[in-house]
Amino acid sequence: MKIAVVDYGMGNLRSVVKALQHVADTADVVLTSDPAEVAVADRVVFPGQGAMRDCMAELDGRGLREAVIAATTDRPFLGICVGAQMLFELSAEGGNTPGLGLFGGDVVRFPAERMLDGQGQRLKVPHMGWNRVRQQGSHPLWHGIADGSRFYFVHSYYLRPSDPALTAAESDYPFPFTVAVARANIFATQFHPEKSHAAGLKLLANFVAWNGKV
């Protein structure tokens, strides 16, 4: 099995590679910016950190857009953090940055006027740390992961899908928001499974074992 981790020059991708190698020690896990290598991979992981506008520019600059879009059509595909955000139509970051448009909806910043906890204390943005994740329905990637497990987040913007059926998980900060989306062979998370200890490694192991069907 060949797993391609898409490298478009944004974020610390080594931790993603190492986590996948840990849960799939017999697989060929490659960090690649070569569209041809992405095209022949059995599974594709699309991570990312940083500003959406920069990520989209780097993706296009390296000629990876079409290879990523093609991978979402016919094999297990996992988006992580900005890699999840880029699947949507538009992000408010950078003055309305167009995404890949594979999912309807947009990506918006946590609104300052709502960032208060139950005691009226202001919450920080970026949202950084561990949050409980509520699974929305069953999915093969949730197998063996208790509902309400904690995952690690680092982000200032969040997913807002136009179709509620896309939402595979929610969390609260301080209001409910979508933290994972799923459709057919695509699963994407706002949180970082590679930094989420046992629950995150289990999700990655489930992805490796997944045939892309629900």
Side-chain angles (χ1 to χ4, degrees):
M1 178 191 300
K2 184 172 185 175
I3 304 173
V5 179
V6 181
D7 178 10
Y8 52 97
M10 302 296 293
N12 177 20
L13 307 182
R14 298 292 175 184
S15 58
V16 177
V17 171
K18 288 181 179 178
L20 286 165
Q21 289 173 334
H22 178 76
V23 300
D25 56 1
T26 62
D28 180 17
V29 181
V30 295
L31 179 62
T32 182
S33 57
D34 182 354
E37 202 159 26
V38 175
V40 298
D42 300 296
R43 282 160 177 71
V44 172
V45 179
F46 188 44
Q49 288 177 266
M52 175 84 160
R53 183 176 293 278
D54 294 340
C55 289
M56 289 300 303
E58 289 294 328
L59 187 75
D60 286 335
R62 296 172 187 234
L64 283 161
R65 176 189 285 255
E66 295 308 319
V68 168
I69 292 173
T72 65
T73 67
D74 61 3
R75 73 203 85 161
F77 183 97
L78 176 64
I80 299 173
C81 195
V82 177
Q85 295 180 1
M86 292 166 74
L87 301 179
F88 283 80
E89 294 173 300
L90 192 70
S91 174
E93 187 175 14
N96 291 334
T97 302
L100 296 174
L102 300 172
F103 289 149
D106 57 2
V107 179
V108 294
R109 186 175 174 85
F110 284 109
E113 66 276 11
R114 297 185 65 186
M115 303 313 294
L116 300 172
D117 66 16
Q119 289 71 48
Q121 298 298 309
R122 184 156 295 281
L123 296 171
K124 293 181 179 179
V125 178
H127 168 218
M128 183 181 300
W130 295 83
N131 265 50
R132 295 194 182 279
V133 168
R134 296 187 302 275
Q135 299 167 19
Q136 304 294 299
S138 62
H139 191 281
L141 266 67
W142 295 132
H143 178 72
I145 301 173
D147 192 16
S149 293
R150 289 157 60 87
F151 288 84
Y152 187 76
F153 291 80
V154 183
H155 64 125
S156 300
Y157 294 76
Y158 64 94
L159 311 172
R160 194 167 64 175
S162 56
D163 181 1
L166 284 174
T167 298
E170 291 184 339
S171 190
D172 298 312
Y173 193 73
F175 52 84
F177 68 100
T178 295
V179 300
V181 291
R183 186 183 68 197
N185 58 299
I186 305 172
F187 195 92
T189 68
Q190 182 61 67
F191 56 80
H192 288 268
E194 77 281 5
K195 298 179 180 178
S196 297
H197 298 172
L201 291 175
K202 179 59 176 172
L203 188 146
L204 292 175
N206 288 342
F207 173 70
V208 171
W210 186 36
N211 65 2
K213 298 180 181 179
V214 294

